[in-house]
């Protein structure tokens, strides 16, 4: 890993832990950004962790750019030696793969796609060496995912799959971004899955849709009453494939304010995970379902 | 008491100075695209600079006042009319209950700010009244104003009729516009020649120019330094592992058309950014009309900080003149 610092105009410092994505880069970025937040530096207005980088917004009238840079660099050694352990939660998210709404949208934007003759899932399956979309879908939901960033639009999670790199799925973004994406679409770009929290533009491939709201500015959804954004970096997600009947049932429960997602507290240790990926994932699944 | 919206204009939104602090959740700062002009409008009518007003784009709204107020219009030259009679811009004037404020056609600039004494009193959302339409947050039910809306008005003392901002204290972009840029971020991904072209070429504001970002066209396409794409970034040379975007930063998807990210920008994504428009020039971006010729001017940090100081001094002069 090679840390790179750069000013973004006169109000931001961008810190890239590594050019490529890895859980090591994520943990270092998260640890450093937490340390910066905890240091409560006068003049710092925003601290934003991302997948393999983070960003600090500061007021150069209160702290000079050079001093801000020096303060940030001082956190780096500390972050390198910190334990890579998180107390977090695992959440089961229902997904209706190959749903009619994302299908309608992907057909509408076919001329912006690498393979105008197929679907996003067919394309993703083929370039990842699977024989069918069904096999690809199984690979997508068979191991848990890690929320490595929240952003793009309000509350949208970027997710990184907890498998070894050989098994990681990679898909390019659309050739030209779409102007429309259904709300709650489960998307894929680069090595990241995401859930579109609102309807709008998007460049990720579309695989399915979840009936579960993850952003509610009105805060009327029962599990979003405390805060309008559901996800936090470090959350762990397990997709649960569902069919149309289950989708409709959950949608009705959400509307009646009776739905609550399955959530359990877990801890995640990066070194343990790297030593035994399948064993760690099995323990995560036990925590999710063993009650 | 309220203001009744008879006609909303094109995309008129409630905006204040923004909603900092939630960028790490994907919620952008929002607020007035030309924050200097909103400050001037507020001070003219006796409000604090932080009060909420209306931001009208290209086409003004038609508003019926249900109580007396002081009003001021700043920013773009969008000539105000009261019951059909012209009123000057950048100048406070009284409006009586029942009178209708409307606007003539836009003469220059892109965004006009309408301040009313007491401010627009829609509920606070995460500490701000600014409308973030993509996230359905703030303003009138998270959207642009619509015909039939009743915009709540706050209580304010109002100010004297005829107070005006001197022309030397009004700030608008020139033609061609000049935007100062501090190179950095992923600048190193483009070739030296592409970097020179970016500053040499004359660009034009594209029709895709809104609160999320301003796209520019007409310059030469960018070329990239050859490299193997890092794992997780995606295969296009303009792709990066998704990271945070900076307010004012310039991204170039596919290496063709630079986009300056503005107040409602997405908070992160997978396209490289080559640097950022300096904070002192961000107000100017929001006043650019489509097709305006624009040059990007390379500056260093020292120049960026000097420009920032100059802008702060101008805001201080504005406060002195109107307090």
């Amino acid at each position: 890993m090679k840390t790179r610092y750069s000013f973004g105009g006169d109000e931001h410092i961008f810190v890239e832990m590594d050019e490529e994505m890895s859980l090591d880069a994520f943990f270092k970025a998260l640890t450093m950004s937490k340390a910066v937040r905890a240091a409560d530096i006068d003049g710092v207005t925003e601290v934003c962790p991302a997948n393999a980088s983070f960003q600090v917004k500061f007021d150069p009238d209160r702290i000079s750019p050079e001093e801000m840079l020096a303060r940030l660099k001082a956190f780096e050694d500390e972050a390198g030696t910190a334990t890579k352990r998180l107390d977090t939660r695992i959440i089961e998210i229902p997904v209706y793969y190959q749903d009619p709404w994302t299908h309608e949208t992907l057909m509408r934007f076919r001329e912006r796609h690498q393979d105008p003759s197929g679907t996003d899932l067919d394309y993703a399956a083929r370039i990842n060496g699977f024989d069918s979309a069904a096999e690809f879908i199984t690979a997508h939901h068979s191991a848990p995912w890690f929320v490595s960033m929240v952003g793009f639009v309000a509350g949208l999670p970027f997710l990184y799959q907890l498998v070894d790199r050989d098994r990681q799925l990679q898909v390019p973004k659309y050739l030209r971004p779409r102007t429309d994406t259904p709300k709650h679409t489960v998307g894929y770009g680069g090595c990241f899955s995401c859930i579109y929290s609102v309807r709008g533009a998007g460049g990720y491939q579309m695989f399915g849709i979840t009936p579960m709201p993850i952003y509610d500015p009105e805060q009327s959804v029962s599990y979003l009453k405390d805060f309008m954004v559901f996800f936090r970096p470090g959350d762990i997600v397990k997709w649960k494939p569902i069919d149309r009947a289950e989708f409709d049932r959950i949608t009705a429960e959400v509307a009646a304010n009776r739905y609550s997602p399955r959530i359990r507290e877990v801890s995640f240790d990066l070194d343990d995970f790297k030593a035994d990926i399948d064993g760690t994932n099995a323990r995560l699944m036990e925590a999710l379902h063993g009650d | 008491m309220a203001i009744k919206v008879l006609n909303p204009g094109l995309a008129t939104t409630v905006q204040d100075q923004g909603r900092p602090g939630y960028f790490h959740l994907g919620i952008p700062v929002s607020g007035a695209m030309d924050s200097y002009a909103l400050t001037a409008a507020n001070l003219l009518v006796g409000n604090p600079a932080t009060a909420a007003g209306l931001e009208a784009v290209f086409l003004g709204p038609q508003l019926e006042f249900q109580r007396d107020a002081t009003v001021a219009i700043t920013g773009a030259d969008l000539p105000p009319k009261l019951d059909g009679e012209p009123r000057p811009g950048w100048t406070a004037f009284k409006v009586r209950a029942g009178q209708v404020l409307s606007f003539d056609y836009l003469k220059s600039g892109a965004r006009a700010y309408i301040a009313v004494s007491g401010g627009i009193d829609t509920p606070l959302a995460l500490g701000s009244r600014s409308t973030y339409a993509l996230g359905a947050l703030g303003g009138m039910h998270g959207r642009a104003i619509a015909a039939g809306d009743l915009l709540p008005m706050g209580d304010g003392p109002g100010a004297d009729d005829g107070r005006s901002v001197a022309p030397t204290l009004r700030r608008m972009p020139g033609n061609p516009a000049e935007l100062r840029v501090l190179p950095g971020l992923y600048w190193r991904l483009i070739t030296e020649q592409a970097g020179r072209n970016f500053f040499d070429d004359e660009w034009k504001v594209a029709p895709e120019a809104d609160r999320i970002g301003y796209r520019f066209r007409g310059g030469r396409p960018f070329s990239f330094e050859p490299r193997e794409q890092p794992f997780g970034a995606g295969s296009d040379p303009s792709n990066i592992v998704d990271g945070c975007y900076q307010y004012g930063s310039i991204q170039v998807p596919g290496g063709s058309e630079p986009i300056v990210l503005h107040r409602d920008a997405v908070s992160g994504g997978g396209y490289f950014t080559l640097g950022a428009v300096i904070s002192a020039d961000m107000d100017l971006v929001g006043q650019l009309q489509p097709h305006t010729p624009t040059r990007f001017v390379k500056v260093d940090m020292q120049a960026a900080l000097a420009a920032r100081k100059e802008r702060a001094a101008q805001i201080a002069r504005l406060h002195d003149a109107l307090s």
Side-chain angles (χ1 to χ4, degrees), chain B residues 91-103:
Chain B
T91 303
F93 56 90
K94 296 280 186 201
V95 174
R96 302 282 165 217
Q99 288 192 299
V100 172
L101 177 69
S102 62
F103 294 86

Side-chain angles (χ1 to χ4, degrees), chain B residues 97-301:
Chain B
Q99 288 192 299
V100 172
L101 177 69
S102 62
F103 294 86
D104 226 322
Y105 290 111
L106 180 74
K107 287 188 176 150
S108 66
R111 288 180 167 78
Y113 292 86
I114 306 163
V116 299
S117 48
I120 303 292
D121 197 28
T122 48
L124 286 168
L126 300 178
S128 164
R129 294 183 171 83
S130 288
T131 311
Y132 167 45
L134 197 54
L137 192 67
M140 284 301 285
H141 313 294
R143 53 159 173 77
I145 64 169
D149 278 351
L150 293 173
L151 309 175
M153 299 166 77
D155 293 322
D160 297 339
D161 214 25
R163 288 199 329 156
S164 188
V165 172
T168 52
L169 280 177
R170 304 174 191 178
R171 188 168 180 239
M172 292 296 279
N175 193 330
E178 286 193 352
L179 300 176
R180 287 169 287 187
V181 171
L182 187 66
L185 301 169
Y186 288 92
W187 178 265
R188 67 207 193 117
L189 295 191
I190 56 173
T191 61
E192 217 180 300
Q193 184 62 50
R196 273 201 301 273
N197 295 348
F198 173 64
F199 288 116
D200 286 348
D201 289 351
E202 186 171 277
W203 299 87
K204 278 197 165 61
V205 177
E208 300 95 324
D210 57 21
R211 294 185 47 84
I212 294 172
Y214 262 64
R215 188 184 281 259
F216 293 85
R217 277 185 192 151
R220 282 166 279 184
F222 288 69
S223 49
F224 292 87
E225 288 290 347
R227 71 164 188 165
E228 196 179 317
Q229 280 294 98
F231 174 81
S235 47
D236 192 276
S238 70
N239 287 171
I240 56 162
V241 165
D242 297 57
C244 299
Y245 288 152
Q246 299 76 25
Y247 173 58
S249 65
I250 305 168
Q251 61 170 235
V252 197
S256 56
E257 295 175 350
I259 301 170
V260 176
L261 296 177
H262 221 293
R263 291 224 162 223
D264 284 357
V266 293
S267 74
Y271 294 113
F272 90 107
T273 44
L274 54 74
V277 173
I278 65 173
S279 62
D281 285 357
M282 286 302 288
D283 288 339
L284 300 179
V285 177
Q287 292 297 0
L288 298 177
Q289 292 182 0
H291 313 301
T292 305
T294 305
R295 302 204 82 106
F296 296 101
V297 179
K298 184 179 180 176
V299 293
D300 59 14
M301 180 63 87

Side-chain angles (χ1 to χ4, degrees), chain A residues 220-257:
Chain A
S220 58
V221 172
S222 58
Y223 55 89
L224 296 171
K225 280 210 159 47
D226 291 341
F227 197 62
M228 59 181 75
V229 168
F230 181 73
F231 283 108
R232 302 187 284 258
D235 279 340
I236 296 171
V237 163
K238 176 68 173 65
W239 307 116
K240 183 193 178 194
I242 56 168
D243 59 13
R244 177 64 190 259
E246 180 73 353
F247 181 90
D248 290 343
R249 191 187 64 76
I250 295 174
T251 301
E253 280 200 8
V254 169
N257 233 333

Side-chain angles (χ1 to χ4, degrees), chain A residues 99-110 112-113 120 152-153 156-157 173-174 176-189 193-210 214, chain B residues 134-135 266 271:
Chain A
D99 65 287
W101 304 284
T102 59
H103 184 79
E104 185 277 328
T105 309
L106 69 88
M107 293 311 286
R108 196 151 35 98
F109 290 98
R110 218 63 213 137
R112 300 179 183 218
H113 195 270
D120 291 9
F152 181 63
V153 290
L156 176 149
K173 293 143 201 166
Y174 267 48
R176 285 183 298 129
R178 297 176 304 274
T179 52
D180 192 19
T181 309
K183 192 174 171 174
H184 301 158
T185 290
V186 174
Y188 212 104
S193 220
C194 81
I195 304 170
Y196 284 86
S197 52
V198 296
R199 184 177 176 180
Y204 276 25
Q205 309 280 335
M206 295 181 291
F207 293 169
I209 204 158
T210 177
I214 56 166
Chain B
L134 197 54
V266 293
Y271 294 113

Side-chain angles (χ1 to χ4, degrees), chain A residues 4 6 10-11 14 16 19 21 46 48 51 55 59-61 149-152 154-155 158 168 170 173 204 215 227, chain B residues 21 23-26 134-135 182 185-186 188 227 230-233 241-246 266-268 279 308:
Chain A
R4 189 170 69 84
S6 177
D10 47 321
E11 293 185 331
F14 169 72
E16 183 183 68
E19 277 207 313
M21 180 58 192
E46 308 253 11
C48 305
N51 294 306
Q55 165 180 299
D59 177 353
D61 302 333
M149 175 175 170
V150 176
F152 181 63
F158 288 81
Q168 249 153 12
Q170 279 213 86
K173 293 143 201 166
Y204 276 25
Y215 167 70
F227 197 62
Chain B
F23 205 60
H24 63 291
L25 299 171
L134 197 54
L182 187 66
L185 301 169
Y186 288 92
R188 67 207 193 117
R227 71 164 188 165
F231 174 81
V241 165
D242 297 57
C244 299
Y245 288 152
Q246 299 76 25
V266 293
S267 74
S279 62
R308 187 182 172 89

